[in-house]
Amino acid sequence: MEQALDLDSLKNDAEFWNFVSVQVALCVAGEALGTYADDKVRDVHVAVLATLTSYNLPTCHKHCSEQLKKQFKR
């Protein structure tokens, strides 16, 4: 039989609160970097397309950025 979780003991558990603090910090950092990362990926994609066009090379048609966005939305 599993032991019940004692919520009262967590109130005073420094390691637990450190874990919670780290989780919150990672969530906030992830949210803050998300927009920046999206913008940078778009900038790189535009640069790749411009370079391919300047060399008369075919541009991609596989919609990789759309596929990548779908993967990260899961």
Side-chain angles (χ1 to χ4, degrees), residues 5-56:
L5 180 62
D6 182 12
L7 294 178
D8 288 330
S9 68
L10 290 178
K11 289 180 188 176
N12 299 319
D13 187 345
E15 187 175 337
F16 170 74
W17 288 109
N18 184 54
F19 171 79
V20 171
S21 295
V22 169
Q23 291 297 313
V24 170
L26 288 173
C27 287
V28 171
E31 287 291 320
L33 292 175
T35 304
Y36 175 79
D38 287 346
D39 291 344
K40 287 299 174 189
V41 169
R42 280 190 204 98
D43 291 348
V44 169
H45 190 256
V46 168
V48 167
L49 290 177
T51 302
L52 290 173
T53 302
S54 70
Y55 288 109
N56 289 328

Side-chain angles (χ1 to χ4, degrees), residues 40-73:
K40 287 299 174 189
V41 169
R42 280 190 204 98
D43 291 348
V44 169
H45 190 256
V46 168
V48 167
L49 290 177
T51 302
L52 290 173
T53 302
S54 70
Y55 288 109
N56 289 328
L57 295 171
T59 58
C60 67
H61 296 285
K62 294 184 180 180
H63 306 285
C64 52
S65 58
E66 291 174 15
Q67 292 172 5
L68 186 62
K69 185 182 282 186
K70 288 177 188 174
Q71 289 175 351
F72 282 105
K73 293 287 182 185

